[in-house]
Amino acid sequence: MSPMSRRVFVKGATLAPLAMTSLPAMGQQTARAPGDRFDIVVAGAGHNSLVCAAYLAKAGNRVLVLEGRPTIGGGCKTQEVCLPGFKEDLCSSVHGGIRTSPIYTELSLKEYGLEYLEPDPVMHIPFLDGASITVWRDVDRTAESIAKISKKDADTFRRLVLEVRNSQAESAPRNDRGAAAPRQAGYIQRLSAMSGYDAVCQLYESQHMRAANLTTGHFGGVPGSDIGTGGQAFSLIGELNGRPIAKGGSGMLSVALGHFLEAHHGVILTNKPVARLIIENGKCAGVECMDGSQYRAEKAVVSTIHVKHLVNMAPRELWGDEFNKDIEIFQAEHAMFSFHYATSEPPKYPLGGGQTISTTEAAIMEHPESILLLNSYNARGEPFTEDMPLQIVSPSVADSTRAPAGYHTVKIEGTMPYALKEGPKHWDAIKEEVAATLFKRLGRLAPNLTPDKIVGKFLESPLDIERMNPAMWRGSAHHGDRRLPQFVPYKLPIPGLYQTGACTAPGGSITAIPGRNAAAALLKDLGTSMEEVNKGDRRDA
């Protein structure tokens, strides 16, 4: 099948019905005529775009953000897609580092309504034989859960917690898989250089502990069969730091950023997908949207459009041969799917003795060796449903604002091939069947969650993920394989054009790092700095 253009994807995404939304279609009430001129035009309103735009507006620039969808947020979006009152995170749910990030205070996000919850227990990993591992923020409590399966593995876990944390404290910056990178090759680094599968087999005796680490380690989309994924053997240690969620939905981060931007005289226009870069005298001078409207930028244009699409929006020769060749070999990661359910009960995982536990997150995979099959199924274009790793997210367990009283939200996530052997469009024919199979798998571990408990659903296949957000090229939620040296620079080859979002370092996930870094690069070129901008809040009356 020939690849579809961004124009087709954006058109389909813009027109696709998405029920009621809990995110405002910001900017419609302040729409500006295309003839209005701005200092900065930002193409796309994902969280990194909004972060970048917020800093630029804080510096006193007139900023316009153009979003192709009816609502802002990109992969950081919450909508009522199943039924009114059920707030579903369409992609991201966990914001690991936002509250400790500089943006939280520099952009006054708490003042704009962003509040975080810290669920504890953090994670539950159940198995069909009745065993389970529960990760708490407390090391001892987590180790006690592991000891019910293997005392030796519990002792290993306790030892590794200290070694990993010491290694991180003494290390150089981490690599892009989250593993520590010590200045001298040491025990933790040597394990990290292995495949995740080999590392867990070296460290743990129980199949349960091996599978638990590989399942939670797969949340980043990279299978633990690959060399260099050994850091996944420490995945449960990472969960001890907690997995914070935004009260009211992941999209509340985007809402807070949008309110900050508008308070600083920025403008956000939705339903404005960008189709073309305006090039004048060899410089990017603005953008043209699919409806023909044009918006000029006096100083710069910032893109969060996936670079595989962006290169087609200006003449090829302007990018340069090296950049064009690099983009031609850009690699996607394993594609994401996300199946959403409104339910009358949360998943209840049996603990024995008639007791159950409900958690905001759970991870499911029975056999560690199942992780070895993902690359094979992906290459063949065949869905693997039998024992592939699943992430189960039910924020309503900790956040009562996510669903009506007595009801809950449940999301089943994982990776599947984007390029099915029948072609990507075949997902439209099979996603209902695949979803039913995976829901049945969840029901074997949470027996209370029978099909009659579903009151509404919304299914996103890998193709739908791309339709929802064309920047998630080929269903790649992180926009590309983050292990590869394929990040594009914040300052692109065409003068006046900058890039942010997951195509830039350090890649996808809700970190806001690309957004802040891109703003810093542009501010420097404008003769100021992030430090100067943050000396005081420049909100004017």
Side-chain angles (χ1 to χ4, degrees):
M1 167 176 282
S2 60
M4 298 175 73
S5 68
R6 182 178 187 274
R7 178 179 291 271
V8 173
F9 279 129
V10 174
K11 182 178 179 182
T14 303
L15 298 178
L18 275 181
M20 295 180 65
T21 176
S22 59
L23 281 183
M26 307 182 74
Q28 295 297 343
Q29 73 280 10
T30 57
R32 306 290 183 91
D36 287 356
R37 298 185 73 91
F38 297 86
D39 294 316
I40 311 289
V41 173
V42 180
H47 86 283
N48 280 303
S49 304
L50 295 170
V51 166
C52 184
Y55 280 110
L56 296 170
K58 186 177 179 181
N61 294 289
R62 292 170 296 154
V63 179
L64 169 67
V65 178
L66 299 170
E67 168 57 36
R69 293 289 295 171
T71 55
I72 64 173
C76 185
K77 182 182 296 182
T78 303
Q79 292 187 295
E80 298 177 1
V81 290
C82 291
L83 286 172
F86 291 84
K87 299 176 182 178
E88 302 279 350
D89 297 333
L90 292 191
C91 189
S92 71
S93 287
V94 175
H95 298 182
I98 295 296
R99 196 163 66 177
T100 57
S101 165
I103 74 157
Y104 194 70
T105 53
E106 291 171 353
L107 301 180
S108 308
L109 294 182
K110 187 175 182 179
E111 295 178 22
Y112 289 96
L114 182 61
E115 179 182 349
Y116 279 106
L117 303 174
E118 295 277 1
D120 199 19
V122 179
M123 184 76 59
H124 186 69
I125 305 102
F127 297 92
L128 289 174
D129 63 3
S132 65
I133 297 170
T134 304
V135 180
W136 305 78
R137 299 192 69 189
D138 181 74
V139 175
D140 292 334
R141 200 169 184 183
T142 303
E144 289 172 5
S145 176
I146 297 169
K148 294 177 182 179
I149 295 173
S150 167
K151 184 179 183 303
K152 181 180 178 181
D153 283 352
D155 292 340
T156 298
F157 178 80
R158 288 180 186 274
R159 171 177 61 82
L160 285 171
V161 168
L162 294 176
E163 294 191 18
V164 168
R165 289 177 175 176
N166 288 339
S167 176
Q168 290 172 348
E170 299 170 357
S171 71
R174 297 184 186 187
N175 64 29
D176 57 16
R177 290 174 297 283
R183 293 183 180 87
Q184 294 182 347
Y187 178 68
I188 299 300
Q189 186 183 19
R190 291 168 192 257
L191 283 165
S192 298
M194 298 179 180
S195 71
Y197 178 80
D198 287 337
V200 297
C201 289
Q202 289 294 324
L203 292 172
Y204 307 115
E205 67 174 6
S206 72
Q207 294 285 93
H208 303 84
M209 193 61 174
R210 294 174 179 179
N213 280 279
L214 290 173
T215 311
T216 56
H218 188 256
F219 289 174
V222 178
S225 56
D226 297 359
I227 292 295
T229 59
Q232 292 187 14
F234 318 128
S235 295
L236 296 191
I237 296 172
E239 311 301 359
L240 295 172
N241 297 323
R243 291 177 63 81
I245 59 174
K247 185 176 181 180
S250 180
M252 292 306 295
L253 169 59
S254 301
V255 170
L257 288 166
H259 288 320
F260 178 97
L261 185 58
E262 291 187 333
H264 288 72
H265 313 298
V267 177
I268 302 172
L269 300 182
T270 55
N271 290 311
K272 284 286 186 178
V274 171
R276 185 176 70 87
L277 301 176
I278 299 174
I279 308 296
E280 294 178 350
N281 300 318
K283 179 181 182 294
C284 188
V287 301
E288 181 178 315
C289 295
M290 288 187 179
D291 61 5
S293 57
Q294 294 187 352
Y295 297 90
R296 300 299 177 112
E298 299 280 358
K299 297 178 180 178
V301 170
V302 179
S303 161
T304 191
I305 298 166
H306 197 289
V307 290
K308 293 289 282 190
H309 302 306
L310 187 66
V311 293
N312 298 318
M313 296 184 180
R316 179 179 175 87
E317 60 271 16
L318 295 181
W319 300 103
D321 289 342
E322 190 66 25
F323 188 84
N324 284 319
K325 288 191 295 184
D326 288 344
I327 301 307
E328 285 173 1
I329 61 172
F330 198 97
Q331 293 293 301
E333 64 182 348
H334 287 196
M336 175 185 176
F337 68 86
S338 189
F339 298 153
H340 307 265
Y341 299 91
T343 63
S344 57
E345 293 184 17
K348 297 179 180 179
Y349 306 101
L351 293 175
Q355 294 184 315
T356 64
I357 188 172
S358 294
T359 55
T360 56
E361 286 192 271
I364 295 175
M365 186 174 72
E366 289 293 312
H367 308 290
E369 59 270 18
S370 293
I371 208 74
L372 303 176
L373 300 175
L374 297 186
N375 281 336
S376 175
Y377 275 86
N378 196 67
R380 298 201 306 266
E382 298 175 2
F384 174 43
T385 59
E386 182 180 346
D387 192 36
M388 49 87 69
L390 294 178
Q391 180 180 7
I392 314 300
V393 188
S394 188
S396 56
V397 170
D399 182 1
S400 61
T401 70
R402 300 292 189 102
Y407 290 85
H408 288 270
T409 62
V410 178
K411 177 171 63 170
I412 302 177
E413 291 182 320
T415 61
M416 292 270 191
Y418 169 86
L420 296 174
K421 59 186 179 182
E422 300 89 350
K425 284 191 173 181
H426 189 60
W427 270 113
D428 292 336
I430 68 169
K431 69 178 178 181
E432 288 278 354
E433 179 184 354
V434 170
T437 299
L438 297 186
F439 192 87
K440 184 177 180 180
R441 268 188 65 194
L442 173 58
R444 294 174 67 191
L445 292 157
N448 73 300
L449 209 60
T450 50
D452 62 293
K453 304 297 171 56
I454 299 173
V455 296
K457 66 182 179 181
F458 181 77
L459 308 179
E460 292 180 286
S461 71
L463 180 59
D464 293 325
I465 294 288
E466 184 177 44
R467 286 167 171 162
M468 175 190 74
N469 186 351
M472 294 180 183
W473 173 66
R474 296 180 64 85
S476 182
H478 300 106
H479 297 200
D481 191 324
R482 294 176 294 174
R483 298 170 298 168
L484 303 177
Q486 61 182 14
F487 295 127
V488 300
Y490 301 111
K491 188 174 182 178
L492 292 174
I494 299 176
L497 181 62
Y498 294 76
Q499 181 76 10
T500 187
C503 287
T504 62
S509 295
I510 307 300
T511 67
I513 296 174
R516 191 177 187 276
N517 286 354
L522 180 47
L523 288 169
K524 181 179 179 181
D525 288 348
L526 295 177
T528 184
S529 67
M530 188 66 72
E531 292 72 23
E532 182 67 25
V533 169
N534 289 321
K535 281 183 178 179
D537 193 327
R538 298 191 181 187
R539 276 180 291 183
D540 299 321

